[in-house]
Amino acid sequence: MHKISFFLLVILMTYSCYAQKIEVCNSCAISSLKKAIMQAKDYDTIIVKKGIYKEHKILIDKPLTIIGKNYPLIDGEKKGEIITVVSNNVTVDGLFIINVGTSYTEDYAAIRIKRSKHFVIKNLVLEKLFFGIYIEKSSFGKIYHNKIVGDAIQEYNSGNGIQLWYSNHIEIEHNYIEHVRDGIYLEFSDDCLIKNNVSALNLRYGLHFMFSNNDVYQDNTFENNGAGVAVMFSKKIKMYNNTFKENWGTASYGMLLKEINDAEIIGNTFEENTIGINIEGSNRIVYKNNNFINNGWAIKVRGACYTNSFLENNFLYNSFDISYNSNINDNVFDRNYWSNYTGYDLNKDGIGDVPYRPVKLFSYIVNRTPETIILLRSLFIDIIDFSEKVSPVFTPDNLLDNNPVTKKMSW
């Protein structure tokens, strides 16, 4: 194994010794990126100087490094896809790319990586786009420090900021994405890391998983999207320390979980969303050390959710902490802090002496008749909630936190 690694290193060093730099500028011998790529040899570096280059259908079919100096503008003039990469070991760095063409059959992108490995896409600015960065059947790539600003108005005729399709082991870090359909979209893509990104003001989701497994997303911010994050038909997704904020609307939420299993949701903040987490058909999920602050509903469970654990979370000033549409429960709620808890702690051990029942009868009524939400602050609602707490009829009688914490927790 060591011999093979040494052999590959020698080959790479040999290429590096013979690699040359090619400059592109409007007054240079080579004045277009396409011509520079045609003349380049494997592992050459192409330096694109500041200027405007009206080009599209730029094909990178060999290992190359392309570096823009002072953000040269690549203008596709809305004629189609702008850069397509079909080779391993390609780096694209520091370009300003605008005016991607629109096609509902070809899904044109500012830059597409196709059946390639070990690529790096960094420091790009993409505007006036259909799709931004499209990764197709590729692996072991890095996408970081890019700014993607779309101008999407309607979902049906707009594309996504970063899209992965059948691509594995991709790292997406420190990107800013706004005004597209989905900020980041993964479909059939496994073992990816999505970290420290900001996805805001997008029409549909800030981040969207479909049929993708063993992915991690952490330390991201999802703000003011149609909905923050949707995780669908996936398993073993780890969701750590993200912020879901101000995802408001009649059908909006911080996070949607649909048909997912064996996930971890730890250390996240859900603040001022219509629904913090909307859950359907999701099992064996650990919810731990999360903050739910000032949401309409902190958690709405729509059904078919089994063997989930809600442990040591803070539920702070939500209109409804938990909504449940079934009278059967095998999920565990334990040692959470509930700001609506009115019990006492006589022995001062930090655990309330009376179990807390987080589901209100009024939330059950609102689920069936949304217009009744206007009665939220009325005395009548307090009375029916109290009666349900004393003698539960509509909500699962075992849906209790038997050890409610009496002080807000910090980690």
Side-chain angles (χ1 to χ4, degrees):
M1 185 68 187
H2 290 296
K3 288 183 179 178
I4 295 172
S5 300
F6 179 74
F7 181 67
L8 291 173
L9 181 62
V10 169
I11 291 176
L12 187 60
M13 289 178 66
T14 304
Y15 270 114
S16 300
C17 291
Y18 290 101
Q20 59 177 340
K21 286 186 179 177
I22 300 173
E23 286 193 346
V24 179
C25 69
N26 291 329
S27 59
C28 297
I30 299 174
S31 59
S32 83
L33 185 51
K34 272 186 189 173
K35 287 181 182 173
I37 293 167
M38 289 173 63
Q39 293 191 12
K41 296 182 174 59
D42 290 358
Y43 297 98
D44 279 357
T45 297
I46 296 173
I47 308 291
V48 186
K49 294 189 173 180
K50 190 173 180 64
I52 298 174
Y53 303 88
K54 296 190 175 183
E55 298 186 67
H56 70 289
K57 289 188 178 177
I58 300 167
L59 180 67
I60 303 176
D61 56 357
K62 62 190 79 168
L64 287 177
T65 297
I66 296 173
I67 299 174
K69 291 293 184 185
N70 299 316
Y71 281 97
L73 180 67
I74 312 295
D75 184 351
E77 300 182 289
K78 294 188 177 295
K79 292 181 177 175
E81 191 148 284
I82 298 183
I83 296 178
T84 306
V85 176
V86 294
S87 167
N88 296 337
N89 301 302
V90 170
T91 295
V92 182
D93 178 5
L95 301 178
F96 185 1
I97 303 175
I98 65 168
N99 285 331
V100 180
T102 299
S103 166
Y104 304 115
T105 55
E106 299 292 331
D107 287 347
Y108 291 145
I111 180 164
R112 181 187 300 270
I113 310 292
K114 197 171 179 181
R115 298 178 184 274
S116 304
K117 294 180 180 178
H118 306 295
F119 59 86
V120 177
I121 307 299
K122 63 179 180 179
N123 303 321
L124 304 186
V125 178
L126 311 180
E127 293 184 3
K128 298 182 181 178
L129 50 96
F130 187 44
F131 283 77
I133 300 171
Y134 199 126
I135 312 298
E136 178 182 330
K137 294 191 173 181
S138 299
S139 56
F140 299 103
K142 295 182 179 180
I143 303 167
Y144 60 92
H145 287 290
N146 301 292
K147 184 177 181 181
I148 302 172
V149 180
D151 49 9
I153 296 174
Q154 294 166 311
E155 282 185 22
Y156 73 90
N157 62 2
S158 56
N160 301 322
I162 298 174
Q163 172 142 337
L164 274 58
W165 186 65
Y166 282 102
S167 295
N168 304 321
H169 302 284
I170 308 295
E171 296 179 13
I172 302 171
E173 296 188 35
H174 291 283
N175 298 285
Y176 178 83
I177 308 155
E178 70 170 40
H179 284 117
V180 292
R181 182 174 58 195
D182 290 348
I184 303 170
Y185 178 72
L186 285 78
E187 187 172 359
F188 301 106
S189 296
D190 302 337
D191 301 299
C192 297
L193 173 66
I194 300 158
K195 186 177 178 181
N196 282 317
N197 302 283
V198 175
S199 187
L201 300 166
N202 297 302
L203 291 182
R204 194 167 61 178
Y205 304 121
L207 171 64
H208 188 182
F209 294 87
M210 291 291 283
F211 309 105
S212 298
N213 306 316
N214 297 303
D215 299 311
V216 179
Y217 70 93
Q218 64 184 81
D219 302 306
N220 302 284
T221 297
F222 306 103
E223 186 170 351
N224 261 314
N225 298 288
V229 173
V231 186
M232 301 180 177
F233 309 103
S234 302
K235 59 185 179 182
K236 296 183 178 178
I237 305 293
K238 292 181 170 58
M239 317 172 209
Y240 301 150
N241 306 320
N242 301 285
T243 298
F244 306 78
K245 192 174 180 181
E246 295 181 11
N247 298 291
W248 279 110
T250 52
S252 190
Y253 27 74
M255 181 191 292
L256 167 67
L257 304 179
K258 185 174 177 58
E259 306 292 337
I260 79 162
N261 295 306
D262 303 299
E264 294 179 2
I265 300 172
I266 298 175
N268 302 282
T269 297
F270 299 85
E271 186 170 2
E272 297 186 5
N273 303 285
T274 304
I275 302 170
I277 308 180
N278 191 76
I279 313 169
E280 185 174 347
S282 299
N283 308 299
R284 301 182 299 281
I285 297 171
V286 176
Y287 303 79
K288 189 174 181 181
N289 299 159
N290 301 292
N291 289 309
F292 296 90
I293 307 168
N294 286 326
N295 299 286
W297 286 262
I299 295 174
K300 184 175 271 191
V301 181
R302 292 194 182 274
C305 297
Y306 303 106
T307 329
N308 299 289
S309 301
F310 299 83
L311 311 171
E312 300 177 11
N313 302 287
N314 288 316
F315 290 86
L316 304 169
Y317 319 115
N318 303 293
S319 298
F320 303 106
D321 289 325
I322 307 292
S323 169
Y324 220 78
N325 70 347
S326 168
N327 57 7
I328 299 172
N329 171 59
D330 75 343
N331 301 302
V332 174
F333 293 83
D334 194 39
R335 300 182 72 88
N336 299 287
Y337 173 73
W338 311 88
S339 60
N340 292 323
Y341 180 63
T342 55
Y344 41 82
D345 179 18
L346 294 179
N347 61 0
K348 305 295 182 187
D349 64 351
I351 304 295
D353 298 338
V354 180
Y356 179 66
R357 184 177 293 281
V359 179
K360 296 179 180 178
L361 174 57
F362 185 47
S363 73
Y364 175 83
I365 295 171
V366 171
N367 276 342
R368 296 179 65 88
T369 312
E371 293 80 6
T372 57
I373 191 68
I374 62 171
L375 301 171
L376 178 64
R377 304 299 177 195
S378 71
L379 176 62
F380 170 70
I381 298 306
D382 292 338
I383 293 170
I384 65 170
D385 279 339
F386 180 75
S387 66
E388 179 69 4
K389 184 190 297 183
V390 173
S391 179
V393 175
F394 295 97
T395 59
D397 58 2
N398 67 342
L399 204 163
L400 294 168
D401 188 337
N402 287 305
N403 300 292
V405 175
T406 54
K407 290 184 180 178
K408 178 189 169 188
M409 294 171 283
S410 56
W411 304 280

